[in-house]
Every structure is written in structure tokens, then in C-alpha cells.
Amino acid sequence: MAGGQWPVVSFWLRTRWPLTTGHWPLLSPMLHYASLPMAKPGKLQTSLEYLLARMVLSGLGILPRPLAIAVGLSIGRLAYFLPGNLRRTGQRNLEIAFPEMPEPERRRLLGGCFASLGRLLGEFSQLPRATPESLRKIIEYDEVGLAHLREAEKNKRGVIFLTGHLGVWELHSFGWSALEYPLSFLVRPLDNPRIEEMIEAVRTRFGNRAIDKQSAARQSLRVLRVGITLGILSDLNTQTREGVFVPFFGKLACTTAGIATLALKTDAVVIPTCAVWNKERKRYFFHGDPPVELVRTGDHNKDIEVNTARFAAAVERMVRLYPDQWLWIHKRWKTRPEGEADLYERRGKRGKG
């Protein structure tokens, strides 16, 4: 799903290229993978960023798909070895999530994260000329998960694709619109409007519709009430005004409460899903879990918290299945309950990532 991040030209663009405040992570089609606000760019900066992003995507886009992905993977693997805050954040996240895991295994998972982002960069560059026929050759559906979706469609219920920054999330929504039917997805527009326009043109090629996250409530309710599928990325750190603290890998994480609110109001079917690379089959696997049953106690606040916790647990299950393809470089546990120390604090200073 797109959900507000654009895969690999933000991750790269803001880490190594000092065109904005902070960094430009690695050159990814996800120009603000962490949904963090940036200073509003001036016209010159906007143009430079746009030209760089267009150059990277166009350059990869003219290559044959296997070569574009090979280059993307090489960029990702190279980025892993560069010094910087992203790698430190990833190391810290893996310590939090897997405290008993041997350090070499954590390094392997983090290396996989960077490689996965590189693959996403290469794959995204190919989407402007992808066809349903070419996509069928590289995508395989989880028939069990698909059966749950068909049941919801038959009953004309709205569906929420509960997903995260796992695997090739941009291909997930794009491939679905090309091979099945268009869906809507929540997105926070990029701070650079020219890049946003370029990326949205790709995402919506087969009829997908982006809903601005800042004014999403009414549109999202309408979409679900008429039985349309809505994709939402739900694995990023959230501010306390928008979320609730629920367990994620055994540690409280501030998690968006919006999905629970939408599901409870519309009785939508919430299906955990992701699109990941299957190394053995050399195809993308669209994984689907059984729907998360909604809990209704009559206490609205409790219902929001309980269901948000159930959704977070569902996302965690998918991350545990494919741990080397999740976005470990995002500060998932940054927002803390009042009085609790910053988990990313380093040598008396707060980390930046």
C-alpha cells in the first residue's frame, strides 16, 4: 500500500543528499518513509529534489527489470555499510524487538531491510510501464487469505487492508488495482509537490485513489460504507493525539487509533496483508491472514484500545514471518508514555533518524 510513504526515492533522497533539512535517505520511491514533517522547501530546492528523483527513477526505469532490481539491491546493500543514523536506528529497533537474538543474526536482518528497500526502488521504477500481463508473471496470491476477502465482497462489506512497510508495499496496492480492482489508500502528501505529483501518477495508473491523511475521516467512512476496499499502513510511530499505546514486540508503541475507529463505525472487515519477495519461487507473494475480529464492549475508549492492540499484534505476526523485509530504520518506539525515557537516546543526546 502507498499509505503516505513513497518507497525508496525518500529513503535514499533524504539520507545522503543534503537538499533538505536533515538527510535524504538513500534514494527511494518513498520520499518520506517515516511520515515525518520536513521544512517546506523553496522553489530551487523543490526543483533540485524533483530532478534528482526523476533522474533516479527514469534511469532505472529504462533498464530491463532484472537489471533495475539488481542495481536497486546494490544501492540498498551499499547504503547498509554507510555510516549514519538510519543504521543505528535499525540496530536499536532490533535490540528492542529481539533482545535475545545473537548480534550476527540482527545484523543479517538489518542488511535484509536495506536490500529490501533497494529492491523496492528497482521495482517501483518499472511500474510506469508495467502491464497486467507482466504483473501476473511476478505476483502470486495467498489463496487462503483471498478466500476471506471474497467472503467480505460477497456480503458487500467494506474492507480494510491492514498492512505496513513490509516487503514491496507500493507493488501491493499497484498490483491489486491492475489485477483485481482499484482501491483507496490513505496517504500523507509529500512536502515536495512536484515529486508527489510524479509518484501519485504511478500509484493511480490503474484507478487507485489517494485520500489525504490530514482530512481522511469523512472520505474513509464513505468509502467503507459503500463497500470499497481501503488500504492503510499502520506500523509507524504516532503522536499521542492520534494514537494509543499498545504492545508491539513486547514494548508499548504509540499506534494510530484511526483504523479501529473506522472499523467500529462501519463494521468493515479488517484483513492483515502484505506483499513480500519469495526468494525460492522468485515471485512476490501477496500474503493474507484471517480477518481480525472486532471486539465491542460498549466502552468506546476501551474498544479503540483493545482493537488497536489486536491490529498491532496482527502486523507484528507478519513482521515476524518476514523480519528481513520490514522497515527497521524507522523509530517505531519514539513516542513514549509520559515519564518514560527516550528509547533512542544515545550518550546523553536524543538520536535523530
Side-chain angles (χ1 to χ4, degrees):
M1 298 298 141
Q5 335 313 312
W6 72 274
V8 202
V9 183
S10 128
F11 165 55
W12 316 109
L13 283 181
R14 282 179 52 202
T15 300
R16 293 291 146 215
W17 300 86
L19 300 179
T20 63
T21 55
H23 305 294
W24 269 84
L26 300 159
L27 268 185
S28 83
M30 35 183 200
L31 247 164
H32 60 291
Y33 70 94
S35 283
L36 299 177
M38 295 181 286
K40 189 174 182 179
K43 288 184 178 180
L44 177 59
Q45 181 176 312
T46 295
S47 296
L48 288 174
E49 292 175 354
Y50 169 75
L51 288 173
L52 179 58
R54 189 174 184 86
M55 178 181 69
V56 171
L57 289 178
S58 297
L60 288 174
I62 63 174
L63 299 176
R65 179 176 166 270
L67 183 55
I69 292 174
V71 173
L73 285 168
S74 297
I75 293 173
R77 288 167 180 152
L78 173 64
Y80 170 75
F81 291 102
L82 296 175
N85 293 315
L86 292 175
R87 184 171 172 176
R88 284 194 293 271
T89 297
Q91 290 169 338
R92 179 64 181 130
N93 282 335
L94 284 161
E95 290 170 359
I96 293 169
F98 301 113
E100 306 303 322
M101 181 179 287
E103 181 60 28
E105 179 63 8
R106 289 203 292 257
R107 285 199 299 268
R108 185 189 71 79
L109 293 183
L110 185 55
C113 164
F114 278 83
S116 182
L117 286 166
R119 175 181 294 282
L120 184 54
L121 171 61
E123 201 65 73
F124 190 88
S125 74
Q126 302 295 299
L127 298 186
R129 55 194 177 97
T131 64
E133 291 72 27
S134 67
L135 292 170
R136 282 192 187 93
K137 295 177 182 177
I138 62 171
I139 292 173
E140 178 179 343
Y141 285 107
D142 179 351
E143 292 300 328
V144 175
L146 204 57
H148 296 295
L149 176 65
R150 299 304 187 214
E151 184 67 22
E153 292 170 351
K154 185 174 67 177
N155 295 325
K156 297 183 178 180
R157 294 174 64 184
V159 174
I160 294 176
F161 277 167
L162 177 71
T163 188
H165 295 81
L166 182 59
V168 284
W169 61 90
E170 291 283 351
L171 182 62
H172 197 183
S173 55
F174 184 89
W176 189 264
S177 66
L179 301 181
E180 291 287 332
Y181 49 78
L183 49 77
S184 296
F185 55 81
L186 298 189
V187 58
R188 185 183 78 82
L190 301 174
D191 296 301
N192 188 313
R194 297 188 67 186
I195 298 179
E196 172 66 26
E197 183 179 351
M198 178 176 67
I199 297 306
E200 186 164 329
V202 176
R203 288 173 168 168
T204 57
R205 263 193 69 204
F206 291 107
N208 280 345
R209 179 184 172 218
I211 298 177
D212 190 335
K213 209 172 180 181
Q214 304 303 316
S215 55
R218 185 174 299 176
Q219 293 182 67
S220 298
L221 287 171
R222 188 181 306 122
V223 160
L224 292 172
R225 282 172 174 159
V226 297
I228 294 176
T229 298
L230 178 67
I232 308 178
L233 292 162
S234 62
D235 58 344
L236 295 183
N237 180 67
T238 304
Q239 300 302 311
T240 52
R241 66 179 179 275
E242 299 174 344
V244 293
F245 286 98
V246 298
F248 190 65
F249 282 90
K251 180 71 69 173
L252 289 178
C254 196
T255 305
T256 178
I259 302 173
T261 301
L262 288 171
L264 289 166
K265 284 187 175 182
T266 63
D267 198 31
V269 179
V270 181
I271 298 180
T273 180
C274 62
V276 293
W277 175 248
N278 186 303
K279 191 177 187 180
E280 289 71 33
R281 301 176 72 91
K282 299 189 182 306
R283 290 163 67 86
Y284 293 106
F285 181 60
F286 281 23
H287 172 104
D289 276 345
V292 180
E293 294 296 329
L294 293 178
V295 173
R296 299 179 187 273
T297 67
D299 181 330
H300 177 72
N301 291 333
K302 184 176 180 181
D303 288 351
I304 293 294
E305 183 174 344
V306 169
N307 286 293
T308 300
R310 290 170 67 83
F311 299 155
V315 172
E316 180 182 328
R317 281 194 295 274
M318 292 191 294
V319 174
R320 286 183 180 276
L321 283 174
Y322 314 103
D324 60 339
Q325 297 190 48
W326 191 55
L327 192 72
W328 292 103
I329 57 174
H330 164 68
K331 290 185 175 180
R332 180 63 183 94
W333 291 274
K334 182 166 180 58
T335 301
R336 307 309 309 143
E338 187 174 355
E340 191 172 309
D342 184 350
L343 295 177
Y344 299 94
E345 202 165 29
R346 190 170 64 94
R347 295 177 184 169
K349 297 182 179 180
R350 295 187 182 275
K352 303 173 183 178

